[in-house]
Amino acid sequence: MIELPFGVDINNLIDDLRIFSWEASETLLYYSKMLDDPNNETNILNNDNNEDPVTLADLKVNEIIIQRIKEKYNDISWGILSEENEKLKSSHFDEKSEWLWVLDPLDGTKDFIQGTGDYAMHLALNHNQKPYIGVVLIPDKDELWIADGEKVWVEKKDGSKIKPNLSTNKN
């Protein structure tokens, strides 16, 4: 069994990830509502790259998650790899870190901009380059998927749980 860094409890960590994720959800939903008005699209886009757009929502969620992890676990030496930081060239991390957070603050940016609701935030904690905890936040569905290496579950913002419908097909 893998042990988390000294002083980190798995249950407390998952509780913190819930809090961080639902804060990110509020941010994503806020910007999503702004996009209901087509005139706001240019105000929310942070770049002009139609193939790989970046929005203020991407950047704000990126900031929230990284800041919360650093604030709550400032004495833990784990790395953070974020898609947005890589795009902005504002991150230096050791890919061989024993513990590494991997963050995509807004997967599905084009769908987000188009208002389809098919977007999510992905966050994982890897140990020695293998997944340890995974979180997928789907704001438009009010779903937070969590995997802790042993089980997978889905929660609503009110804390109620939904039984996930998972495929048994190993392929």
Side-chain angles (χ1 to χ4, degrees):
M1 178 170 188
I2 299 169
E3 287 193 32
L4 283 163
F6 181 77
V8 179
D9 172 77
I10 185 72
N11 295 314
N12 292 337
L13 178 59
I14 289 172
D15 286 343
D16 290 333
L17 293 175
R18 280 185 188 99
I19 293 166
F20 304 164
S21 297
W22 289 119
E23 184 178 355
S25 177
E26 289 173 17
T27 300
L28 291 168
L29 291 171
Y30 168 80
Y31 282 105
S32 177
K33 284 279 185 226
M34 285 184 68
L35 286 168
D36 287 344
D37 179 352
N39 295 325
N40 286 331
E41 185 175 318
T42 56
N43 296 334
I44 291 176
L45 285 172
N46 193 60
N47 69 4
D48 295 328
N49 184 344
N50 290 333
E51 293 305 309
D52 195 14
V54 176
T55 68
L56 295 179
D58 290 89
L59 299 175
K60 186 62 178 171
V61 169
N62 188 65
E63 177 186 321
I64 288 168
I65 297 298
I66 291 172
Q67 183 177 353
R68 297 299 175 264
I69 289 170
K70 286 182 176 180
E71 286 172 354
K72 186 72 181 190
Y73 298 98
N74 64 350
D75 55 341
I76 307 297
S77 62
W78 40 35
I80 300 176
L81 169 62
S82 167
E83 180 183 23
E84 301 317 319
N85 287 359
E86 285 304 302
K87 287 179 187 175
L88 299 171
K89 307 288 187 238
S90 66
S91 171
H92 301 288
F93 73 98
D94 179 2
E95 63 203 39
K96 297 198 187 326
S97 291
E98 180 182 7
W99 292 98
L100 179 68
W101 289 101
V102 181
L103 171 63
D104 185 348
L106 179 51
D107 184 35
T109 301
K110 290 179 188 177
D111 284 306
F112 178 78
I113 293 167
Q114 294 168 1
T116 68
D118 294 330
Y119 63 91
M121 179 199 77
H122 298 273
L123 178 62
L125 178 60
N126 290 341
H127 179 257
N128 291 327
Q129 302 178 6
K130 292 187 178 150
Y132 183 76
I133 295 174
V135 174
V136 177
L137 170 70
I138 309 172
D140 275 27
K141 291 185 178 181
D142 186 37
E143 291 181 357
L144 181 62
W145 289 73
I146 303 171
D148 68 0
E150 295 178 19
K151 58 189 178 300
V152 176
W153 66 96
V154 187
E155 299 179 1
K156 296 288 192 179
K157 189 170 185 179
D158 66 8
S160 62
K161 293 200 168 51
I162 303 168
K163 183 172 174 30
N165 184 11
L166 303 174
S167 172
T168 56
N169 184 345
K170 299 293 180 187
N171 292 332

